Amino acid sequence: MAAKFTPRVFSGIQPSGGLTLGNYLGAIKRWVAMQGPDFETIYCVVDLHAITVRQDPDKLRRSTHEVAAALIASGIDPEASVLFNQSQVSAHAELGWIFNCIARIGWMNRMTQFKDKAGKNAEKVSLGLYAYPALMAADILAYHATHVPVGEDQKQHVELTRDIAQKFNHDYGVDFFPITEPVIEGPATRVMNLRDGTRKMSKSGESDMERINMLDDADTIARKFKKARTDPDPLPGELEGLKDRPEARNLVDIYAGLSDRSPEAVIAEYAGAGWGRFKPALAELAVEKLVPISDEMRRMMAEPDALDALLARGAGKAEAISRPILEQVHDIVGFVRSRG
Ligand code: AMP
Ligand code: TRP
């Protein structure tokens, strides 16, 4: 990649319901790890994305506060990173429109998340849900972000972002947008449902028992792991032995993600252990890591004005980075910009 782009991280989470252990291990924990001298880090609560499906306005506000609180409680430092909600910075929607005119219908038709979410109902979902990946490209490229840490399910959307950047650069004969790298790393890039190891853990699954919420209390976390679906066999001595055991593999990956170890190291420690030993150890580890975060989240959510002030400050910083980039886009595209 051309050296002209500052190493810059951008990522987002939707305020569309309670956050899960999947969000924590697949995204938040890794966002925290990327803060530091190597990158400028920009993290966004993507409320424009959330309304691609119907959201109750009060719940949307509360979820926005919940996500902001979760990020800070997990270690995002609002001084070291830029932290804001998407709708307060209009560059996202504006560049999103321009990208709607760059992305091709054929590209959008290949998006597997749209196909999953729309299902048989494709005629009834919003136009926004279809255009959603072009808005995500705008989020990333409005900051010339070079790296995007996400869970495995977002890989295709980051690839689409690269295609949009490439087509824009090519069509206008410029070298303006960076070709962004997805960063999908660690043992828990795809945390699975606790009742069905072939499905992703998500905010919106039908049963609460299939996911761990970041706001679950210690008893609930322990109960959910105890009831998590497994198979009758003990843990094997090597990772290879988990090949056709998705539920078992998922619990090992969660343990690895929470303890910052490799799945191999976890298997080595628990080789031959039955679920009666492994599940309580996993529950204890999850409680140890998550409960201090949820305690802090609840404390912050009780002071929404303070969170609003933080988001306002973050939005100001985000605006300062994205506005000049958007002005250059207007010049490249040929929009008259006579207001300065
Ligand atoms: P979302 O909740 O769809 O806004 O997702 C926000 C971030 O969390 C994205 O980077 C997702 O890839 C990540 N994420 C969501 N669910 C999971 C999961 N089950 N496993 C790993 N990462 C996830
Ligand atoms: N689409 C992402 C998700 O559902 C959220 C998102 C929106 C995002 N804009 C982004 C992630 C930009 C990374 C970068 O998980």
Side-chain angles (χ1 to χ4, degrees), residues 11-14 20 22-23 26-27 31 132 149-154 188-192 200-203:
S11 200
I13 298 197
Q14 301 187 60
T20 70
N23 294 127
W31 297 6
Y132 170 122
V150 280
E152 179 66 39
D153 61 328
Q154 295 302 313
T189 56
R190 190 170 174 81
V191 176
M192 307 309 280
K200 194 183 73 164
M201 182 183 288
S202 80
K203 292 164 175 162

Side-chain angles (χ1 to χ4, degrees), residues 2-9 38-40 143-147:
K4 71 174 197 168
F5 297 108
T6 321
R8 190 176 278 156
V9 167
D38 295 342
F39 296 102
E40 258 185 60
Y143 299 88
H144 277 181
T146 55
H147 294 77

Side-chain angles (χ1 to χ4, degrees), residues 192-196 199-202 204-212 224:
M192 307 309 280
N193 181 314
L194 297 182
R195 306 312 288 260
D196 176 354
R199 284 170 42 220
K200 194 183 73 164
M201 182 183 288
S202 80
S204 57
E206 66 247 29
S207 158
D208 197 54
M209 290 303 286
E210 56 186 57
R211 62 180 164 263
I212 303 286
K224 286 179 176 175

Side-chain angles (χ1 to χ4, degrees), residues 60-120:
L60 180 60
R61 265 182 286 270
R62 212 170 322 123
S63 290
T64 301
H65 289 144
E66 178 183 333
V67 175
L71 295 177
I72 298 168
S74 301
I76 300 295
D77 172 355
E79 295 307 317
S81 291
V82 177
L83 172 61
F84 69 109
N85 60 311
Q86 188 184 26
S87 59
Q88 297 210 72
V89 180
S90 63
H92 296 251
E94 294 172 41
L95 188 59
W97 175 258
I98 294 170
F99 286 171
N100 283 346
C101 303
I102 297 289
R104 304 290 94 181
I105 295 270
W107 301 359
M108 307 317 269
N109 285 340
R110 284 195 286 278
M111 295 294 114
T112 57
Q113 183 171 301
F114 176 76
K115 288 188 221 171
D116 291 347
K117 281 202 184 173
K120 291 187 212 78

